Amino acid sequence: MRVPKVGVIGAGQLARMMIGPAADLGVNIEVFAASSDDSAALISAFMVGDFKKIEDLMTFAEGCDVVTFEHELVPQSLIHDMESRGVCVYPSGDSFLYSQDKLAMREKIAQLGLLNPLYEKYEGGSTGLKFPLVAKVPRGGYDGRGVWIISDQAQLSELPTPLLLEEKLNFTREISVMVARSRSGETKTWSPTWTEQCDGICKITVTPVPDFSDDLAEEVSRIAIKIADGVGLVGVMAVELFHIDDRFVVNELALRPHNSGHWTIEGAVTSQFEQHLRAILDLPLGDTKRISDWAVMGNILGGSQPEIFAQYEHMMARSPRLKFHHYRKEIKEGRKIGHVLLLGWDCDFHRLVDEVEFAQNYLSGGPHG
Ligand code: ADP
């Protein structure tokens, strides 16, 4: 039997973190990069191309048994075009739509009988929703870019349309559940994660969610599996939820490995990256059990330090349990350039958060640390 080849469209840190598991599994992998110095292209076979050109996508897909994505930017029409030309794409274009288009996602969540915020498609004029509200570009936003808190009609009128408008929720906290679903329909979830955002960007995650009962964990796991089955997921998906009292309102879906699942690299028996490969190759899914009481992940955002590596010596001596992930991306203010992870047993998770925050600050040099 021939060893399969996976093609990943996109060559950022998510593709980069898929390279290790692919090597471990002995699976061939190639990434579709915008440039030869993209994060994943530095450590993998790659092709440089334009993901908005079908010829480039088809050249890349040739020889790949499965093509998958690490970002949402490939136009729907081109994904369908690849599929109609016989390329095996997972998640499929029909499923991936819910990762690409927040309006389509809201409609799907309503259809599945799950909770949305009050929402409306806005194309200009006045809105039926009360201010303040949250306005979002339906496609292409990330890390809080393309999301605005709007307090009156004048502000709303200044934004480009169409928009997804949502009521502004007062949530207790934001949580994320990672779920995997294979081509055969096998599903597995990991422990839910508390995600702490700052200016629309995830700063720290804590897994499991503190003060969360087993019943609540089961409830959100059921929600994630219902969505995975409902959208026909193949691969892994993050289901971002707002926790309000004891209700869970869906915020967003990402049908790919996700920042909120980075803790699984060291913190679970099977990481989200390995699981994604298993799911799209139709292999049995791996165990998702946590291996520690706590897993705390902190994103390193670009700050005043010119290079993360220069800070390793002190940080490694100070925190021998800390795990480092350097994406080798050009440092730009506020950009995710790496992350750190700390596992803990029999301890107060606040201590782990303090240690991770110190590392964030020291490695990036602030002001985001
Ligand atoms: P992105 O695609 O940038 O991740 P999100 O839709 O997740 O955008 O929104 C970014 C952040 O904005 C969320 O993590 C949350 O903190 C806040 N937010 C989004 N929607 C709402 C809402 N309806 N009510 C209150 N806050 C919201």
Side-chain angles (χ1 to χ4, degrees), residues 102 136 142-144 147 166-167 169 171 174 242 251-252:
K102 290 181 181 179
K136 303 182 177 182
Y142 69 99
D143 285 348
V147 176
E166 295 178 0
E167 67 177 310
L169 295 168
F171 48 81
E174 294 185 60
F242 296 123
N251 175 28
E252 207 184 10

Side-chain angles (χ1 to χ4, degrees), residues 31-32 35 69 120 124 133 182 189 205 247 273 331 341 351:
V31 299
F32 185 92
S35 144
F69 310 97
E120 166 187 304
L133 49 76
S182 74
T189 55
T205 73
R247 291 181 308 131
F273 298 100
I331 295 184
L341 192 278
R351 266 203 322 105

Side-chain angles (χ1 to χ4, degrees), residues 164-328:
L164 165 65
L165 301 185
E166 295 178 0
E167 67 177 310
K168 185 171 178 301
L169 295 168
N170 278 322
F171 48 81
T172 320
R173 58 188 161 190
E174 294 185 60
I175 68 169
S176 172
V177 191
M178 290 302 306
V179 55
R181 184 171 180 279
S182 74
R183 279 155 72 169
S184 307
E186 183 188 7
T187 54
K188 281 201 195 284
T189 55
W190 286 262
S191 295
T193 294
W194 172 39
T195 64
E196 201 191 339
Q197 325 281 328
C198 185
D199 299 328
I201 193 163
C202 175
K203 196 178 158 223
I204 280 206
T205 73
V206 179
T207 313
V209 179
D211 306 318
F212 209 57
S213 67
D214 290 347
D215 285 350
L216 291 181
E218 264 172 45
E219 186 181 338
V220 296
S221 170
R222 273 197 303 273
I223 291 173
I225 289 173
K226 186 169 189 178
I227 298 173
D229 287 334
V231 303
L233 171 73
V234 173
V236 297
M237 170 172 71
V239 176
E240 294 183 31
L241 299 164
F242 296 123
H243 186 190
I244 307 171
D245 303 324
D246 275 345
R247 291 181 308 131
F248 296 99
V249 176
V250 175
N251 175 28
E252 207 184 10
L253 307 178
L255 279 78
R256 53 169 171 74
H258 189 257
N259 196 182
S260 63
H262 287 355
W263 68 271
T264 61
I265 297 175
E266 293 92 356
V269 174
T270 309
S271 78
Q272 59 167 346
F273 298 100
E274 177 182 341
Q275 200 79 300
H276 189 73
L277 294 170
R278 289 186 185 220
I280 63 177
L281 291 168
D282 205 18
L283 294 165
L285 297 180
D287 192 341
T288 51
K289 197 173 162 30
R290 248 185 16 254
I291 64 163
S292 58
D293 295 334
W294 296 106
V296 176
M297 189 282 314
N299 282 322
I300 311 299
L301 305 182
S304 61
Q305 299 287 13
E307 172 48 55
I308 297 177
F309 195 89
Q311 274 56 248
Y312 277 176
E313 191 176 355
H314 175 76
M315 262 330 301
M316 287 178 178
R318 186 182 196 271
S319 295
R321 280 191 176 173
L322 197 68
K323 305 306 288 182
F324 297 77
H325 295 263
H326 188 323
Y327 305 154
R328 297 284 306 275

Side-chain angles (χ1 to χ4, degrees), residues 107-125:
E107 280 159 25
K108 189 69 184 179
I109 294 302
Q111 235 180 49
L112 292 171
L114 298 169
L115 292 180
N116 273 320
L118 290 173
Y119 74 96
E120 166 187 304
K121 180 177 182 181
Y122 179 76
E123 288 176 306

